[in-house]
Each structure stands twice: as C-alpha cells, then as structure tokens.
Amino acid sequence: MRIVLLGPPGAGKGTQAQRLVDDLQIPHLSTGEMLRAGQDAGSELGLMAAQYMESGQLVPDELVVGIVDQRLQQQDCQNGYLLDGFPRTVPQADSLSELLQQRSTKLDLVLELNVAEEELIKRLLQRKRPDDTRETITERLQVYQKQTSPLLEYYSTRGLLASIVGQGTPDEVYERLREALQQHSDNT
Ligand code: AMP
C-alpha cells in the first residue's frame, strides 16, 4: 500500500506511523527524519535545510521532492510505503503525483490525523525536540494552516482522504486508523 499520513505538528504522526509500518510491513518515509539525518551527517543538503527547520519554516519544495524521489527509487519501496510529513504543500503534492505516474503507481489512501490546536500546543511543549520552542511551535502551526491544510481538499476531491480523530490515547487513535484502512480495503 502507498499511504500518506497528514496532520499538523503534534498530531501524533510519528507514533502512529511507526505502528502502521510495523503492521503493514512497509517502509516509513519521514521527510523530517531524512532532513534531520542529513543535518547530523553534516551533508550539504542537511545544512541547507537547517536554517528553515530551526525557524519552523518549510524547506524549499525542490529540495524535499529531490530526497523523496531518490528514496522512492530504493528497492524496499517497490511494494508500498508510508509517507509521513510529505507532501506539505500543493506543489509537493503535484510533484508526488508526477513521481507516482513515472512509476505507473498511485496512492491508495491519505490518512489525516485531526487534533484541536490547544491539544497540539500542549503536546508539542512536552516534546523535547530542538525545534519545539514556543516560537517555532506557533510558526509551524501557522505554516500548517496556510501551506499544508489545502491538501485536505486536494485529496478529498480526489477521493483519497480519510480523516481520523487524533484525540485520545495512542491505542484509541490507532484503532481508528485501522478501521479507516479496513474500510478502504472493503471498498476496493
Ligand atoms: P517533521 O519532523 O515532519 O515535523 O518536520 C520537521 C521540519 O522539517 C519541518 O518543520 C520543516 O522545516 C521540515 N520538513 C519536513 N518535511 C518537509 C516537507 N515535506 N516540506 C518542507 N519542509 C519539511
């Protein structure tokens, strides 16, 4: 299966993605993780991305699309994958669609984790990532509203979107994700 996991920072994408990939036996493609790994390795790409990430801005589309393109060429992606944190803009979604077409494949499902803003801020302040300061949290939530949330309509009009309530315990949220997957496979 080829799945996109969408949702604002703090919605629990990382936690739920891990469970999904373990269950479905597909690779977990997190652009945030890829960019952080690039930074840790001191690669040129990682260093270019750092300034954007530290301020809560999005890294330029070409850069992110490039790393996804390369990753999709690897052997372990041939039978599906879970994209986490990509696409994050409409141009990225268009580029993803081209990458899929080039490979004669399609997305199966876009899963959205929906969580109220007060809860997101609470969760992000508990996390200990270097880009989780009060200023960058506000910035990243605004960036999500402005640049990423249009993807909900983008995928909804294409009949690919399943929205899941992301409040509650990780187990409760995971159960809802499994139900959405089940419903999808019943309909196909
Ligand atoms: P994440 O781990 O998904 O929360 O991503 C952390 C940071 O990496 C984001 O705040 C962005 O600066 C950058 N990033 C990750 N994925 C993307 C993407 N698809 N497009 C642009 N920037 C991204």
Side-chain angles (χ1 to χ4, degrees):
M1 280 194 103
R2 282 172 288 273
I3 304 173
V4 166
L5 190 58
L6 260 185
K13 293 195 300 296
T15 309
Q16 298 298 335
Q18 196 51 53
R19 294 183 178 210
L20 283 168
V21 299
D22 287 346
D23 259 9
L24 300 171
Q25 296 284 302
I26 49 176
H28 177 193
L29 274 45
S30 155
T31 43
E33 287 296 329
M34 292 179 209
L35 293 166
R36 281 187 287 277
Q39 268 178 43
D40 292 346
S43 72
E44 198 185 332
L45 193 144
L47 297 176
M48 255 159 68
Q51 45 175 326
Y52 298 98
M53 295 171 77
E54 279 159 17
S55 62
Q57 295 292 319
L58 293 185
V59 170
D61 290 337
E62 317 80 72
L63 200 154
V64 187
V65 170
I67 57 173
V68 171
D69 187 11
Q70 276 187 5
R71 184 67 184 88
L72 292 184
Q73 284 169 33
Q74 291 173 22
Q75 193 53 38
D76 64 335
C77 291
Q78 304 319 307
N79 293 321
Y81 40 81
L82 178 92
L83 284 165
D84 163 9
F86 179 89
R88 255 180 160 96
T89 63
V90 170
Q92 287 182 21
D94 285 336
S95 298
L96 174 62
S97 167
E98 278 172 35
L99 294 178
L100 291 162
Q101 265 175 34
Q102 285 162 15
R103 293 163 171 81
S104 305
T105 54
K106 299 196 286 222
L107 284 179
D108 292 289
L109 195 59
V110 176
L111 295 164
E112 180 218 356
L113 287 178
N114 194 315
V115 178
E117 184 159 318
E118 312 86 76
E119 175 71 17
L120 293 173
I121 295 172
K122 203 174 94 195
R123 290 187 192 177
L124 288 165
L125 286 171
Q126 281 165 2
R127 224 160 64 164
K128 292 277 175 279
R129 232 170 63 184
D131 58 344
D132 284 334
T133 63
R134 212 170 257 279
E135 297 75 42
T136 55
I137 287 172
T138 313
E139 180 62 26
R140 281 190 293 141
L141 289 173
Q142 280 173 4
V143 164
Y144 181 82
Q145 275 315 322
K146 206 165 150 218
Q147 303 197 61
T148 309
S149 68
L151 293 181
L152 300 175
E153 199 188 323
Y154 182 99
Y155 285 122
S156 163
T157 55
R158 286 162 178 76
L160 288 170
L161 186 72
S163 290
I164 280 100
V165 176
Q167 312 268 141
T169 66
D171 284 347
E172 285 165 351
V173 177
Y174 191 62
E175 190 52 39
R176 292 182 205 126
L177 283 171
R178 293 292 314 182
E179 280 166 22
L181 282 169
Q182 186 59 48
Q183 225 166 41
H184 168 79
S185 63
D186 289 348
N187 294 338
T188 50

